[in-house]
Amino acid sequence: MQKILLSLGALVLFLTPQTAQAYVDSLDALLKQHVKTVTKNGIQYNGVDYAAWGKDPRHATVRDEILATNPNTLSTKNQKLAFWINAYNVLTIDLITREGETKSIKNLGSTLSSPWKKHKWSINGTEYSLDNIEHKIIRKLDEPRIHFAINCAAKSCPDLRNEAYRADKLDAQLNEQVHLTFKNSTKGFKKVDGQNAVRVTKVMDWFKKDFHGGLNKWLQSYKSDTVNNDTTVQFFKYDWSLNSSK
């Protein structure tokens, strides 16, 4: 009996965090193959070759492994964040490739519903929209850096990372995402000439309440050489054009 219990315990251990992360190597490969940095209309961004991604059989495998994951097996905050960020990004790409959209994700909404609310996927038997995932799950985990990691398929969105998020290295990945965004003067961060002012991604305006202590204080933790308590924070105009590499 003791041997049986030990075997069952080992099986449970094997099936929990590992199962939830089984897809990450394939997602890494997809991102590395189909995402590249491009510049269009004055904006530098990580562009996706949606046509090639949609034809790649690994996409369906990754998507289906995410949809088959039981979120209740995710026990730590980092496991939850890594899974749901990856899920949001993959399902956004799934939406674009499935619908064959080539201009803007906003075209996939309707008069009564945004694209983030209109389309749903079943994850372990429960239906989720992108809106549910972002606002009811990811933002509830109280990590403002997620706004530099989830990607809404727009040129002006903080870039789609070219590797999957992993619980064991999530803090470093999120920190790097912030730094990469702030290095991009076409949409992420730019000092306004001749003024004590900076321009940052519009995402920080939409979700300013998530940045604890206010934008100035939060920005100082990354840009202390440029931002102080009196710095005026302005925002880049947001381009909703599809972040396609083609």
Side-chain angles (χ1 to χ4, degrees):
M1 177 63 73
Q2 186 177 10
K3 288 183 178 180
I4 293 173
L5 290 175
L6 287 172
S7 297
L8 287 172
L11 180 61
V12 170
L13 182 63
F14 177 76
L15 287 176
T16 48
Q18 292 89 341
T19 298
Q21 296 294 302
Y23 62 88
V24 293
D25 290 337
S26 294
L27 180 54
D28 273 345
L30 279 166
L31 289 162
K32 286 178 170 55
Q33 181 169 342
H34 300 305
V35 176
K36 68 177 182 179
T37 303
V38 296
T39 300
K40 292 184 181 181
N41 299 326
I43 299 176
Q44 178 184 302
Y45 62 95
N46 278 2
V48 182
D49 186 342
Y50 285 103
W53 186 303
K55 294 175 183 176
D56 193 318
R58 292 173 296 186
H59 169 63
T61 300
V62 167
R63 179 201 60 210
D64 291 349
E65 287 180 359
I66 286 173
L67 297 181
T69 297
N70 180 357
N72 293 324
T73 65
L74 305 168
S75 58
T76 70
K77 178 178 177 178
N78 277 6
Q79 287 174 359
K80 293 173 184 177
L81 280 170
F83 171 74
W84 286 111
I85 292 170
N86 287 333
Y88 184 96
N89 290 342
V90 168
L91 296 180
T92 297
I93 293 171
D94 187 58
L95 174 61
I96 299 296
T97 57
R98 184 185 74 204
E99 300 296 323
E101 180 56 42
T102 60
K103 300 298 183 183
S104 173
I105 190 173
K106 297 190 84 172
N107 291 337
L108 299 178
S110 64
T111 304
L112 299 177
S113 184
S114 75
W116 299 279
K117 292 181 178 180
K118 178 180 177 181
H119 304 276
K120 296 181 180 180
W121 295 259
S122 176
I123 300 178
N124 191 46
T126 300
E127 282 199 336
Y128 297 88
S129 67
L130 294 172
D131 188 85
N132 293 149
I133 293 171
E134 179 178 8
H135 301 294
K136 302 299 183 183
I137 300 175
I138 300 178
R139 290 181 65 203
K140 296 289 187 183
L141 291 168
D142 194 28
E143 172 50 80
R145 294 174 298 175
I146 60 98
H147 295 298
F148 300 85
I150 57 175
N151 184 270
C152 63
K155 288 179 182 176
S156 287
C157 189
D159 281 332
L160 182 66
R161 190 173 179 83
N162 67 352
E163 68 174 3
Y165 290 93
R166 298 173 185 260
D168 60 352
K169 54 191 280 190
L170 185 66
D171 186 63
Q173 289 178 312
L174 292 179
N175 260 335
E176 186 177 34
Q177 282 299 108
V178 178
H179 285 295
L180 289 171
T181 300
F182 288 166
K183 282 177 64 177
N184 188 339
S185 63
T186 68
K187 66 173 184 175
F189 183 98
K190 186 177 182 180
K191 189 175 187 319
V192 178
D193 291 340
Q195 302 178 42
N196 183 16
V198 295
R199 187 169 290 113
V200 300
T201 170
K202 184 68 175 175
V203 170
M204 296 189 75
D205 184 25
W206 292 331
F207 300 106
K208 62 177 61 174
K209 69 179 183 180
D210 291 357
F211 295 91
H212 308 305
L215 294 187
N216 287 62
K217 181 177 178 181
W218 199 89
L219 284 165
Q220 285 175 57
S221 62
Y222 287 91
K223 302 295 289 186
S224 59
D225 58 332
T226 311
V227 179
N228 55 52
N229 292 337
D230 298 320
T231 301
T232 299
V233 179
Q234 303 172 3
F235 305 97
F236 284 94
K237 183 179 179 181
Y238 204 85
D239 187 339
W240 280 103
S241 301
L242 191 68
N243 62 338
S244 172
S245 62
K246 299 297 184 180

